[in-house]
């Protein structure tokens, strides 16, 4: 994300600034976020907060300038219901607490949409394995749907979490076809077995005016060159084929190739899940080494990289970057953890490489 | 010394800014909560201790002395028990998950919402599960037994125990 200062996305700030100022005066400023994982919720929260609640964070100053007022209205929408949402409770809770923390952003959830998503299969999903986190989310969202705030001031902002809406069309502004004007969604209903419900269109539509749409619908693994041909990759699931983390051996291969993380299991799970997954792979590696200790020692990696003209940043070079980013004269406030460098050149200069 | 925000690139000025940051950037809601956010202070070796038992994932029991005042993640690490603490004890993961006896679980104050949110993601969650980093050792825990969940089916197949770092 640009507010994290990723060097590949330095150009996004100007684009976002442009879009956010493009609405007609009579309309409210609205951003649509498509997807219901933690990233989608995080985006909505950061975009809405406004400068006073972001200034002490490590958001880059250039991004802060673009988001200084906070987006007036953000709609986070997903095709299926809240029980199927990929978010975890912590991120939902952060949204429910915004007002309490003095941020003038309301978090809006509709109880009718929570009810719509409670098919018999969804109820079974709440009781099945993985039901506890989902039940707690259901309870928290119902509480959020029931609470409302009396104060409505002019600088009121909102984040709406909407369910059972499938985006089907982006339409431009009537008087400016070069820019986004609306996102058209079809109301869906859930059909199918617990754990496998899909969203089916109902023929009813809802249109959201929007100056900007963000798509946050997850990842899919891609095969490295040559992996597709060797039958080592499952393109449908986007994962490498493996046994206990050892990549399934192609004919004539010497083995010695392993996998861990999302490429192994699919794009789900957090640090804790990946730690256990990595441990499983390491156990397999250790077992293999015990059986076949004869792998030729690899070459000198530093010489190899130098030969290829690859510049390397070592840990102590990173410590130079860290010291430079945290220098007091670089920071907006004393509390801001760091002011990040946002281009590779600045990073390399700071590293002293 | 607070650096004025009107310096460093803010040529257009920022009128929405509050005048002081005397909360030192800390979220007031978090300062009030019962959750330990900083991994816990290191407890002196002169502190009084209680005898507790950790049941390791392979089923073997280890009897150790826990220092009153430290949290159970610190206890486990001091004795080289393989209790992962990926977030280093700040209630941001579920890897220090421990299973308590029903009696001890009921005796302790209820977990905070934040701890419950992290427990949602723990592998092999039970009714008496808690996060080790959120439980302080007390005198009343003399003789307590803590069960470490069996993380994966392959976990201790060769007996290797990675050292906490």
């Amino acid at each position: 994300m640009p507010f994290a200062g990723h060097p590949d996305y330095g150009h996004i700030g100007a684009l976002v600034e442009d879009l956010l100022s493009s609405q007609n005066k009579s309309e409210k400023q609205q951003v649509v976020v498509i997807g219901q994982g933690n990233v989608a919720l995080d985006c909505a929260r950061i975009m809405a907060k406004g400068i006073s609640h972001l200034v002490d964070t490590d958001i880059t100053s250039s991004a802060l300038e673009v988001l200084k007022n906070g987006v007036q209205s953000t709609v986070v929408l997903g095709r299926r219901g809240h029980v199927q949402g990929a978010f975890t409770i912590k991120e939902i809770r952060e949204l429910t607490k915004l007002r309490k923390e003095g941020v003038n952003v309301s978090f809006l959830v509709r109880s009718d949409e929570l009810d719509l998503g409670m098919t018999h299969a969804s109820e079974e999903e709440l009781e099945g394995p993985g039901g506890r986190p989902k039940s707690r989310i259901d309870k928290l969202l119902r509480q959020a749907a029931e609470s409302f705030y009396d104060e409505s001031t002019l600088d009121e902002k909102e984040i709406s979490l909407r369910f059972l809406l499938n985006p089907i069309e982006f339409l431009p502004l009537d008087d400016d076809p070069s820019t986004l004007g609306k996102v058209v969604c079809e109301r869906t209903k859930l059909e199918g077995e617990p754990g496998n419900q899909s969203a089916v269109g109902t023929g009813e539509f809802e249109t959201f005016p929007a100056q900007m749409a963000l798509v946050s619908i997850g990842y899919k693994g891609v095969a490295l060159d040559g992996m597709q041909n060797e039958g080592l990759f499952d393109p449908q699931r986007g994962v490498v084929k493996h046994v206990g983390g050892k990549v399934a051996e192609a004919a004539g291969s010497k083995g010695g190739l392993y996998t861990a993380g999302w490429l192994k299991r699919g794009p789900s799970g957090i640090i804790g899940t990946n730690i256990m997954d990595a441990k499983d792979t390491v156990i397999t590696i250790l077992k293999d080494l015990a059986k076949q200790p004869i792998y030729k020692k690899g070459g000198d990696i530093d010489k190899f990289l130098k030969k290829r003209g690859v510049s390397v940043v070592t840990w102590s070079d990173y410590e130079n970057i860290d010291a430079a980013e945290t220098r007091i004269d670089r920071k907006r406030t004393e509390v801001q953890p760091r002011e990040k460098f946002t281009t590779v050149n600045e990073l390399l200069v700071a590293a002293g490489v | 010394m607070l650096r004025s925000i009107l310096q460093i690139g803010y040529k257009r000025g920022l009128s929405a800014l509050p005048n002081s940051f005397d909360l030192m950037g800390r979220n007031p809601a978090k300062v009030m909560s019962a959750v330990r956010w900083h991994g816990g202070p290191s407890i002196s070796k002169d502190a009084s201790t209680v005898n507790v038992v950790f049941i390791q994932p392979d089923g073997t029991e280890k009897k150790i002395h826990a220092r009153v005042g430290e949290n159970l993640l610190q206890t486990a690490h001091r004795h080289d028990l393989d209790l992962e603490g990926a977030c280093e004890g700040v209630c941001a993961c579920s890897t220090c998950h421990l299973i308590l006896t029903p009696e001890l679980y009921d005796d302790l104050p209820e977990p905070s919402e934040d701890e419950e949110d992290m427990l949602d993601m723990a592998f092999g969650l039970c009714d008496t599960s808690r996060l080790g980093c959120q439980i302080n050792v007390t005198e009343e825990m003399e003789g307590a037994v803590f069960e470490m969940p069996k993380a994966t089916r392959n976990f201790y197949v060769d007996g290797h125990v990675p050292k906490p770092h």
Side-chain angles (χ1 to χ4, degrees):
Chain A
M1 290 302 300
F3 45 75
H6 194 299
D8 289 351
Y9 295 95
H11 58 289
I12 297 273
L15 186 60
V16 170
E17 192 162 34
D18 211 36
L19 291 171
L20 291 180
S21 54
S22 72
Q23 85 275 21
N24 295 327
K25 295 298 172 236
S26 56
E27 280 177 12
K28 71 177 168 189
Q29 186 189 56
Q30 182 155 272
V31 171
V32 167
V33 179
I34 297 168
Q36 297 194 317
N38 289 335
V39 172
L41 297 186
D42 279 349
C43 282
R45 199 180 76 248
I46 299 287
M47 286 193 301
K49 274 190 159 182
I51 187 170
S52 54
H53 300 283
L54 290 173
V55 69
D56 286 327
T57 68
D58 64 357
I59 188 171
T60 61
S61 292
S62 51
L64 186 56
E65 178 61 32
V66 172
L67 297 176
K68 61 178 180 273
N69 297 320
V71 172
Q72 200 187 347
S73 170
T74 306
V75 178
V76 181
L77 52 87
R79 289 178 303 184
R80 298 196 295 171
H82 66 289
V83 176
Q84 293 77 38
F87 37 64
T88 51
I89 195 168
K90 182 133 178 94
E91 281 69 19
I92 301 265
R93 208 182 284 290
E94 306 243 329
L95 293 172
T96 64
K97 284 179 168 170
L98 286 172
R99 282 225 145 255
K100 259 174 262 172
E101 294 172 1
V103 185
N104 60 335
V105 175
S106 299
F107 175 53
L108 306 174
V109 179
R110 288 170 39 163
S111 15
D112 61 336
E113 281 184 346
L114 299 181
D115 293 334
L116 265 180
M118 281 309 264
T119 54
H120 186 64
S122 292
E123 278 170 4
E124 284 194 41
E125 285 169 26
L126 286 187
E127 281 155 36
R132 172 187 139 134
K134 291 189 179 291
S135 300
R136 297 183 70 238
I137 287 174
D138 174 58
K139 189 158 159 221
L140 183 61
L141 287 174
R142 286 189 188 277
Q143 277 168 11
E146 273 157 39
S147 56
F148 59 94
Y149 294 95
D150 295 327
E151 327 101 72
S152 70
T153 57
L154 279 174
D155 65 351
E156 185 68 26
K157 291 175 279 181
E158 56 191 43
I159 296 175
S160 310
L161 190 55
R162 301 289 309 272
F163 299 101
L164 300 156
L165 288 166
N166 184 27
I168 56 170
E169 202 174 7
F170 293 130
L171 292 177
L173 273 181
D174 291 334
D175 47 357
D176 183 358
S178 71
T179 195
L180 179 69
K182 314 181 227 244
V183 179
V184 182
C185 297
E186 185 176 13
R187 171 65 85 199
T188 65
K189 62 180 174 187
L190 295 175
E191 283 180 6
E193 293 304 302
N196 213 10
Q197 298 183 78
S198 42
V200 172
T202 61
E204 278 173 38
F205 299 90
E206 185 169 345
T207 298
F208 296 90
Q211 290 79 54
M212 184 168 80
L214 298 178
V215 178
S216 178
I217 56 174
Y219 293 87
K220 190 172 175 184
V222 292
L224 296 170
D225 285 344
M227 209 172 242
Q228 212 38 299
N229 299 337
E230 307 246 21
L232 299 173
F233 190 79
D234 177 342
Q236 205 201 4
R237 288 187 54 214
V239 295
V240 168
K241 296 180 184 171
H242 69 93
V243 176
K246 179 172 187 169
V247 177
E249 286 170 274
S253 150
K254 289 183 199 152
L257 187 62
Y258 301 84
T259 180
W262 283 6
L263 190 59
K264 177 185 173 197
R265 291 189 336 274
S268 77
I270 54 172
I271 291 177
T273 337
N274 287 307
I275 285 177
M276 285 177 356
D277 174 294
K279 282 178 172 171
D280 269 354
T281 297
V282 169
I283 297 287
T284 304
I285 293 174
L286 292 175
K287 276 160 72 178
D288 285 353
L289 282 177
K291 277 191 296 209
Q292 276 175 266
I294 307 164
Y295 283 108
K296 285 220 180 80
K297 193 170 174 232
D300 183 329
I301 185 102
D302 291 324
K303 284 206 188 102
F304 180 76
L305 289 170
K306 201 166 179 182
K307 205 168 76 169
R308 288 208 177 174
V310 176
S311 50
V312 172
V313 175
T314 63
W315 179 254
S316 65
D317 294 333
Y318 165 71
E319 286 181 321
N320 293 338
I321 294 174
D322 184 34
E325 284 185 342
T326 54
R327 261 180 23 218
I328 190 79
D329 61 328
R330 242 187 97 72
K331 300 197 286 187
R332 297 184 288 264
T333 75
E334 207 169 61
V335 184
Q336 183 194 7
R338 67 183 61 244
E339 179 65 45
K340 295 181 185 180
F341 294 110
T342 55
T343 65
V344 173
N345 278 343
E346 286 175 300
L347 286 164
L348 290 177
V349 165
V353 156
Chain B
M1 173 203 74
L2 203 61
R3 199 82 184 172
S4 166
I5 197 168
L6 292 175
Q7 299 171 27
I8 318 175
Y10 279 88
K11 299 178 181 66
R12 281 170 262 183
L14 298 159
S15 54
L17 218 54
N19 287 322
S20 72
F21 299 95
D22 47 331
L23 277 175
M24 293 302 287
R26 276 189 225 121
N27 181 322
K30 288 185 177 176
V31 170
M32 314 286 205
S33 101
V35 176
R36 183 198 315 290
W37 294 104
H38 302 293
S42 183
I43 300 293
S44 143
K45 62 185 189 297
D46 300 322
S48 56
T49 64
V50 289
N51 298 298
V52 300
V53 175
F54 274 79
I55 305 178
Q56 298 177 100
D58 66 354
T60 58
E61 293 188 1
K62 194 161 179 183
K63 295 185 171 63
I64 59 178
H65 298 303
R67 289 178 190 162
V68 173
E70 70 183 353
N71 66 63
L72 289 175
L73 179 62
Q74 291 173 309
T75 309
H77 282 182
R78 268 194 321 105
H79 290 94
D80 286 336
L81 291 168
D82 189 25
L83 192 65
E84 183 84 45
C87 74
E88 299 187 348
V90 298
C91 201
C93 74
S94 59
T95 60
C96 69
H97 171 208
L98 289 172
I99 299 164
L100 274 50
T101 56
E103 299 77 32
L104 180 59
Y105 184 86
D106 289 338
D107 273 347
L108 292 175
E110 281 198 0
S112 65
E113 223 168 45
D114 292 293
E115 185 183 340
E116 294 273 28
D117 287 352
M118 290 301 116
L119 280 169
D120 272 359
M121 297 184 279
F123 186 89
L125 189 70
C126 308
D127 289 337
T128 57
S129 287
R130 291 293 304 269
L131 294 183
C133 70
Q134 299 301 306
I135 299 179
N136 275 355
V137 177
T138 63
E139 304 276 4
E140 287 74 36
M141 287 182 191
E142 175 65 38
V145 178
F146 302 104
E147 188 187 329
M148 295 168 66
K150 300 168 190 17
T152 71
R153 66 189 188 286
N154 285 339
F155 206 49
Y156 283 103
V157 88
D158 64 345
H160 176 71
V161 180
K163 284 217 172 309
H165 51 277

